[in-house]
Structure formats: structure tokens, C-alpha cells
Amino acid sequence: MDIKYRLYPYPVLASFNDDYNSSKFHVNAECVLDGFDICINYSVELENDQIRELIAKGKACIVFHLESARTGYREARETDKLNGKIVIKDSVLNGDLSFCPFIIAKENIPGYFNNDFNEDYTEPFNFEKGYLIAIGNQMVWPITKNNIDLLNSSSPFKIGLNPDETISNMVVDFESQPKIRILLSAKDLSCYINMKNTPELKSILNSAVVVPALMYVLSELKQCEDMETAFGSLSWYLSIKESYLKNFKKDITVDLANENVFELAQKMLKTPINDAFEDLTTLGGHGDDEEDDDNEI
């Protein structure tokens, strides 16, 4: 969607007209890659007390229209916050991402008059629900995806049988190993093999097996004083290091200390837990109409 410089039958706050005398609606935004997510960090400059009051009372809202023409992605995000973040899965984007900010009426606003109207406007207006109150500055960002998927054919993980039959729990072995070895009991491995080629179960299996394994490895790396010396020659470490650099624009030897490994492991594996819940719903899960007050299990 492109913002059109057009005339409206009522006053609209915009940079391309003079319907308001000294008011301002401008959005500062940056588009950054965060793993397999595209994040838009925004800050709204809104210089008009009466419009700000409409938003505060829920009569109006800020809307960000997002569109990627090449993929057919189109979405409107509504907020009453002047500062925030919008997160979009990179899988729905390709080519340019268009970002258009607006302020719209959420309900009918009869007899609206703004003290900063141009002197040509002397009478109040009846704003209907959906009317544009303000139009901001459009931005377009090229989306270039060169992510490294740790779950692809060159994955640093290898799932196999634990030779110790006395151990029933999952074991993660990575020290001095070319790949992160996830060892399962014979029973668990048999179940995994039977299910791994079922598309609807892939994200569920990754959430149950690979995510905790990566969390454990990241936790160990985080505590390591010199991870380059300890693991620099191992292929699994090089894969994780490269993924961290390309997907997050960060150096694992410097920045890992400040990361939440629970969140990071999910992001590095394309957030399979979110997909797992969707797949479980498809496979037969359902939500109760009545929820527990504390949402306890």
C-alpha cells in the first residue's frame, strides 16, 4: 500500500497538506533482523494534544499498515503506544517491506474540532469510524534473507542411541564431538524414528528434543571462559557461531554473556515451540471456553 497525496473532505494531519497549522505526526522506525524474525522498532512523534487525548481515551488509535507485495503479505497492526516493536516472521516476507503509519478513528466522533485546524476550517466535523485522522511518513525496506537454519541437512545435531541401557533420560554430548550428539534410550529413539518424517510432528519433536539440547549447549558456552580455545575446532561450534553472526549480527564470543539462552535457543531454531502449539491444535487440541483464573496446569 502506498500513501497517496490526495485531498480529503475533512481535515487530515499530514506533511503534504496544511489542514493543521503547527501539529506533527512522524514515525521514526528501523527494520532489523532478529534470527528468523523481522523486527521494526518504532517511535512516534505526535504533537497535538487533542489527538493524543483521542488515543488515550480509546477513540482513536495508531495503525501501521505492513505489506510485502511479492509474497502477498498484508497486515494492519493497531496500537495506542508511541514507542514499541513489531515482530514479523521472515517466512512471510520477500523483497520490499512497506511500512505506512496512520491514526484512525476507532468509533464515531461527532462534533470534532481541533484547536490547531487551519483557519479555513471553522466548523466541527463528524468523524465516522475508520476515518483517517493523521497520515505519517511511509518507509520501504528491502528484506534480504541469508539466514542459516540449524535444522537443515547440515545441522550440527545428531540424534542417536545411548549405548548405556541404564540411562533412560536424554543425554547431550558435545565436548570433543564434531556434532552435538543427542542420545536417547532405545525406546525413545524408536519412537523418534517412527515420527520424525511426519510433517505435523516435526516442530513438536524439535521442541521436545533439539531445543533443550541447544539450551544446554548455549548455557555451557556462556560459562566457558575461552570458548574459542575449548571448541573452536569443532564443526558444531562453527555452525552455531556462524548462525549467531548471520542471523543476529552478533559475535558469540562477545555477546552470548548477555543473552537469555532459553529465548535464544528458540530463535536460533526458528521458534519451533510456537509451531508445535499450532500443530498440536491441528492434531486435535482445543481450548476451553472457561479459563482458570491463574491459568495453572
Side-chain angles (χ1 to χ4, degrees):
M1 177 180 183
D2 292 327
I3 293 176
K4 304 296 184 182
Y5 298 164
R6 50 167 287 191
L7 297 176
Y8 294 85
Y10 54 87
V12 175
L13 173 58
S15 62
F16 52 83
N17 65 30
D18 59 357
D19 291 351
Y20 286 73
N21 292 315
S22 59
S23 298
K24 180 180 180 181
F25 175 51
H26 182 86
V27 179
N28 301 298
E30 63 171 353
C31 182
V32 297
L33 180 67
D34 185 19
F36 292 91
D37 293 333
I38 301 297
C39 295
I40 301 172
N41 300 307
Y42 69 85
S43 175
V44 176
E45 297 178 61
L46 178 56
E47 298 176 4
N48 186 287
D49 291 341
Q50 288 172 270
I51 297 178
R52 291 173 74 107
E53 185 179 1
L54 289 177
I55 295 173
K57 291 182 176 180
K59 295 183 177 181
C61 65
I62 300 167
V63 172
F64 300 114
H65 182 92
L66 304 155
E67 185 172 325
S68 179
R70 189 175 297 180
T71 62
Y73 167 77
R74 184 178 296 162
E75 185 178 7
R77 298 283 185 98
E78 176 185 317
T79 185
D80 60 357
K81 307 298 183 185
L82 298 182
N83 297 277
K85 178 169 70 172
I86 299 170
V87 180
I88 310 169
K89 293 293 182 186
D90 75 348
S91 58
V92 303
L93 303 176
N94 195 14
D96 289 343
L97 172 63
S98 174
F99 173 86
C100 304
F102 303 92
I103 298 176
I104 67 169
K106 291 189 68 176
E107 59 183 56
N108 293 336
I109 306 174
Y112 176 74
F113 186 85
N114 196 291
N115 293 332
D116 196 43
F117 278 164
N118 184 297
E119 53 271 15
D120 291 339
Y121 299 109
T122 58
E123 300 294 330
F125 289 84
N126 293 320
F127 277 15
E128 296 181 10
K129 181 179 180 180
Y131 269 24
L132 291 177
I133 296 174
I135 300 174
N137 48 307
Q138 179 178 0
M139 282 166 270
V140 179
W141 298 291
I143 303 299
T144 304
K145 299 186 288 186
N146 59 350
N147 308 70
I148 294 178
D149 188 350
L150 291 178
L151 294 173
N152 64 16
S153 57
S154 58
S155 169
F157 304 97
K158 183 177 181 180
I159 298 174
L161 176 66
N162 191 336
D164 190 340
E165 297 180 357
T166 66
I167 299 177
S168 60
N169 54 287
M170 184 175 79
V171 174
V172 179
D173 182 16
F174 62 94
E175 296 184 23
S176 303
Q177 299 290 337
K179 291 200 171 190
I180 298 170
R181 298 173 65 213
I182 302 174
L183 304 177
L184 304 175
S185 67
K187 179 182 177 181
D188 290 345
L189 183 60
S190 176
C191 291
Y192 176 84
I193 292 172
N194 289 333
M195 293 187 292
K196 71 175 184 176
N197 292 322
T198 303
E200 295 83 1
L201 298 175
K202 185 177 180 180
S203 59
I204 299 170
L205 290 174
N206 286 333
S207 299
V209 178
V210 186
V211 170
L214 182 58
M215 285 175 54
Y216 173 67
V217 172
L218 291 174
S219 297
E220 293 297 307
L221 288 177
K222 192 172 182 177
Q223 298 177 42
C224 184
E225 293 184 0
D226 188 353
M227 63 180 77
E228 286 290 319
T229 299
F231 308 110
S233 62
L234 302 178
S235 60
W236 66 259
Y237 172 76
L238 296 175
S239 294
I240 289 177
K241 180 181 178 181
E242 185 180 9
S243 170
Y244 192 70
L245 178 62
K246 284 196 172 183
N247 295 359
F248 300 92
K249 311 302 181 188
K250 295 180 180 179
D251 183 347
I252 198 169
T253 62
V254 176
D255 300 308
L256 184 60
N258 300 318
E259 295 279 7
N260 179 319
V261 295
F262 179 64
E263 294 179 1
L264 180 60
Q266 296 178 68
K267 289 181 178 180
M268 292 185 77
L269 296 174
K270 221 169 183 177
T271 324
I273 291 176
N274 297 141
D275 294 335
F277 278 116
E278 292 181 9
D279 291 340
L280 284 169
T281 302
T282 302
L283 290 170
H286 61 277
D288 294 331
D289 291 333
E290 295 183 7
E291 295 184 3
D292 229 18
D293 289 341
D294 297 325
N295 293 316
E296 293 181 350
I297 296 176

